[in-house]
Amino acid sequence: MWSRLFGFLLVAVSLFVGWAWMTYRDFTETPLALPEQGIVFAVKSGATVQSVGRQLEDLGYLSNGRYLAWYARWKKQAHLIKAGEFQLEPVLIKCAC
């Protein structure tokens, strides 16, 4: 009984870890879906990584804004967000992780 439960849990955890790894790699290797000419993106004063991710997702440039926030927190970069207008070019948006 316990060995079956342990086996099931082991398989479930392995599947979750595999899914999480594939999702992470997809997020870090997929550039933003920007138009060829790029965009000017405004970050408002007081914006958080979560709000920027949500805004990029709402505009259709990012598949999941939460991943941006999670990634920024994991890399301890979330506090570095700055307000301003930024020219985002498709060729420049690639994570070198």
Side-chain angles (χ1 to χ4, degrees), residues 9-38:
L9 288 175
L10 183 62
V11 168
V13 167
S14 297
L15 288 172
F16 175 77
V17 168
W19 169 82
W21 177 252
M22 288 182 354
T23 302
Y24 165 78
R25 295 303 299 172
D26 183 53
F27 177 76
T28 59
E29 293 178 359
T30 303
L32 293 176
L34 297 172
E36 243 181 72
Q37 70 275 15

Side-chain angles (χ1 to χ4, degrees), residues 45-81:
S45 180
T48 63
V49 175
Q50 293 90 339
S51 65
V52 169
R54 193 175 325 110
Q55 188 177 4
L56 287 169
E57 182 180 356
D58 291 345
L59 292 169
Y61 301 132
L62 187 62
S63 61
N64 192 325
R66 282 180 285 178
Y67 292 165
L68 178 65
W70 293 341
Y71 186 77
R73 276 187 253 149
W74 180 53
K75 293 290 189 174
K76 299 185 182 358
Q77 302 277 319
H79 68 283
L80 299 176
I81 192 164

